[in-house]
């Protein structure tokens, strides 16, 4: 943990960093593929809506039933003519949910089901939901989600700016699409608890996004008065500065949710926990991802389209190019100063006569006749 803390401190001080914004096209591509997969799952499989949204009946048996879940499914299908969702509760009772049936036929289905289960029909509890009431609940859920989105955009536009509001909205739509797509792919039932989970993870996703946006807003107050950093550079610094914090809060939030989903819903068989735990688990992970890889890089893309930011980018790049040229010239000068005499290479390839050869061969004196 101390190493992770040291890493967070170094990231916050800018000693090390990862280029999240520079590689934003990679993150956009990954998110696009995941979103397309989620949409295909929604189109092909659709959502397994609970009776609260499409109407139906829930029958609960007495405790310690000896009938298996598979047998109860078969009995419910025979009585209603439709597929049923059967869950075994902790006290040994069975929860038999049949969606999309007419409430006028509920008594007949109840009597047939009680006969097959070999229990008194009075001991078989029945909760009925009419289709019109279920449709009303579904419409109210969509209205609540839409109002939530509008309020979020208005708040972020006032507190920060409209570009950050747009980026946050895109990140929220990204998180909702992925979460609902996972529900369609795995076939978990969508209940009011699922809607509560969705609203919860949207708030959590906004929390991570607002933390980065607040840091970005603080660091870009007088950005046009300097020529050292572009807007994308400061956006990347903001992500790195809050990265370890986002990871820590996400992991801490995911641990209890993972316990609900994998231990409570999977190992212990408490299927009623799946509707809310899956939305929380997938949504928390998607929200942490979108706040780092989608929202802030998208803000940088939108901001750098402004004329002021374009001019700033040109000045920063020009200054960096000038500094690189001066450094290269200084390096070349040092290299020339430290090199040997320039005449040495020229003389190295020539045959230099030796001392004896320079004096020439001594000749004997000529005799005069």
């Amino acid at each position: 943990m101390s190493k992770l803390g040291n890493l967070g401190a170094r990231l916050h001080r800018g000693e090390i960093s990862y280029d999240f914004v520079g590689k934003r096209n990679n993150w956009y591509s990954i998110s696009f593929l995941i979103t397309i997969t989620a949409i295909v799952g929604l189109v092909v499989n659709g959502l397994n809506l609970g009776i609260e949204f499409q109407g139906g009946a829930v029958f609960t048996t007495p405790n310690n039933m000896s009938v298996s879940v598979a047998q109860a499914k078969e009995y419910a299908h025979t009585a209603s003519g439709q597929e049923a969702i059967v869950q075994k509760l902790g006290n040994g009772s069975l929860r038999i949910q049949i969606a999309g049936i007419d409430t006028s036929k509920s008594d007949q289905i109840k009597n047939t089901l009680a006969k097959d289960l070999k229990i008194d029909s009075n001991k078989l509890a029945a909760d009925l939901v009419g289709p019109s009431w279920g449709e009303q609940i579904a419409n109210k859920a969509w209205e609540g989600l839409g109002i939530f989105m509008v309020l979020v955009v208005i708040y972020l536009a006032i507190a920060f700016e409209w570009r950050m509001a747009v980026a946050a909205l895109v990140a929220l739509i990204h998180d909702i699409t992925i979460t609902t797509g996972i529900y369609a792919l795995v076939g978990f039932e969508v209940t009011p608890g699922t809607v509560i989970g969705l609203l919860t993870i949207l708030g959590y996703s906004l929390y991570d996004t607002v933390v980065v946006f607040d840091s970005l807003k603080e660091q870009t107050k007088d950005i046009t008065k300097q020529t050292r950093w572009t807007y994308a550079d400061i956006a990347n610094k903001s992500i790195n500065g809050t990265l370890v914090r986002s990871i820590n809060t996400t992991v801490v939030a995911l641990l209890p949710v993972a316990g609900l989903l994998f231990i409570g819903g999977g190992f212990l068989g408490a299927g009623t926990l799946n509707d809310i735990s899956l939305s929380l688990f997938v949504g928390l992970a998607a929200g942490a991802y979108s706040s780092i890889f989608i929202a802030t890089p998208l803000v940088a893309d939108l901001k750098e389209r402004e004329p002021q930011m374009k001019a700033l980018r040109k000045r920063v790049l020009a200054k960096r190019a000038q500094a690189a040229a001066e450094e290269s010239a200084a390096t070349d000068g040092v290299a020339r100063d430290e090199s040997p005499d320039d005449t040495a290479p020229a003389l190295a390839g020539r045959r230099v006569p030796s001392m004896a050869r320079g004096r020439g061969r001594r000749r004997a004196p000529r005799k005069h006749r």
Side-chain angles (χ1 to χ4, degrees), residues 362-369:
R362 181 175 294 178
R363 298 181 178 179
R366 297 177 64 182
K367 296 182 179 180
H368 295 281
R369 294 182 178 176

Side-chain angles (χ1 to χ4, degrees), residues 52-55 130-143:
E52 294 87 356
F53 296 105
Q54 59 179 337
S132 59
W133 189 83
E135 183 180 357
Q136 183 181 1
I137 291 295
N139 292 334
K140 292 296 182 181
W142 284 114
E143 289 176 7

Side-chain angles (χ1 to χ4, degrees), residues 48-319:
N48 181 21
L49 297 176
I51 63 170
E52 294 87 356
F53 296 105
Q54 59 179 337
V58 176
F59 302 98
T60 306
T61 67
N63 299 345
N64 301 320
M65 289 291 298
S66 60
V67 180
S68 66
V69 172
Q71 288 176 328
K73 282 186 178 181
E74 184 179 351
Y75 294 154
H77 183 268
T78 302
S80 64
Q82 299 187 22
E83 294 295 331
I85 298 175
V86 180
Q87 298 171 342
K88 193 158 190 175
L89 305 180
N91 56 5
S93 62
L94 295 176
R95 183 178 185 269
I96 304 171
Q97 177 176 310
I98 307 173
I101 63 173
D102 191 352
T103 54
S104 61
K105 299 180 180 180
S106 60
D107 290 338
Q108 179 183 352
I109 295 173
K110 178 182 177 180
N111 293 330
T112 305
L113 192 57
K115 181 179 179 180
D116 292 335
L117 294 172
K118 298 179 180 180
I119 59 175
D120 188 353
S121 61
N122 295 327
K123 295 182 179 180
L124 186 62
D127 295 323
L128 307 178
V129 178
S132 59
W133 189 83
E135 183 180 357
Q136 183 181 1
I137 291 295
N139 292 334
K140 292 296 182 181
W142 284 114
E143 289 176 7
L145 187 60
I147 293 172
F148 175 83
M149 292 289 195
V150 171
L151 293 178
V152 164
V153 171
I154 293 174
Y155 169 75
L156 291 179
I158 295 174
F160 298 98
E161 59 173 297
W162 69 267
R163 294 168 187 82
M164 291 185 177
V166 170
L169 180 62
V170 171
L172 289 178
I173 295 174
H174 167 271
D175 298 342
I176 293 175
T177 304
I178 291 177
T179 305
T180 54
I182 294 295
Y183 265 84
L185 292 173
V186 302
F188 278 13
E189 184 183 8
V190 177
T191 67
T194 306
V195 178
I196 294 172
L198 281 174
L199 294 176
T200 302
I201 60 102
L202 292 182
Y204 190 90
S205 174
L206 279 175
Y207 170 77
D208 277 349
T209 302
V210 168
V211 167
V212 182
F213 283 178
D214 186 64
S215 174
L216 181 57
K217 179 183 178 181
E218 184 68 24
Q219 296 187 58
T220 55
K221 282 184 177 180
D222 299 320
I223 186 174
T224 57
K225 297 181 180 179
Q226 52 85 45
T227 56
R228 186 179 180 184
W229 308 105
T230 64
Y231 192 93
D233 294 333
I234 298 180
N236 198 66
K237 288 174 60 180
S238 299
I239 297 175
N240 281 275
T242 58
L243 179 62
V244 174
R245 176 182 178 179
S246 298
I247 293 175
N248 287 337
T249 54
T250 301
V251 170
V252 169
L254 281 176
L255 287 177
V257 176
L260 287 175
L261 179 61
F262 298 109
I263 298 177
F267 182 73
L268 298 179
T272 53
L273 297 175
N274 290 335
D275 54 353
I276 187 171
S277 59
L278 181 63
S279 63
L280 288 174
F281 186 83
V282 176
L284 288 173
Y289 174 86
S290 65
S291 64
I292 297 172
F293 298 97
I294 302 298
T296 308
L298 185 57
V299 170
D301 272 337
L302 295 175
K303 286 292 292 185
E304 292 207 328
R305 297 174 184 269
E306 295 181 356
Q308 290 182 342
M309 297 305 159
K310 288 182 179 179
L312 173 63
R313 185 174 184 83
K314 289 182 180 179
R315 294 197 303 270
V316 171
L317 295 180
K319 185 175 179 179

Side-chain angles (χ1 to χ4, degrees), residues 347-361:
L347 296 176
R350 297 175 56 187
R351 295 184 61 186
V352 180
S354 63
M355 295 297 294
R357 183 175 296 177
R359 290 192 302 268
R361 182 178 295 176

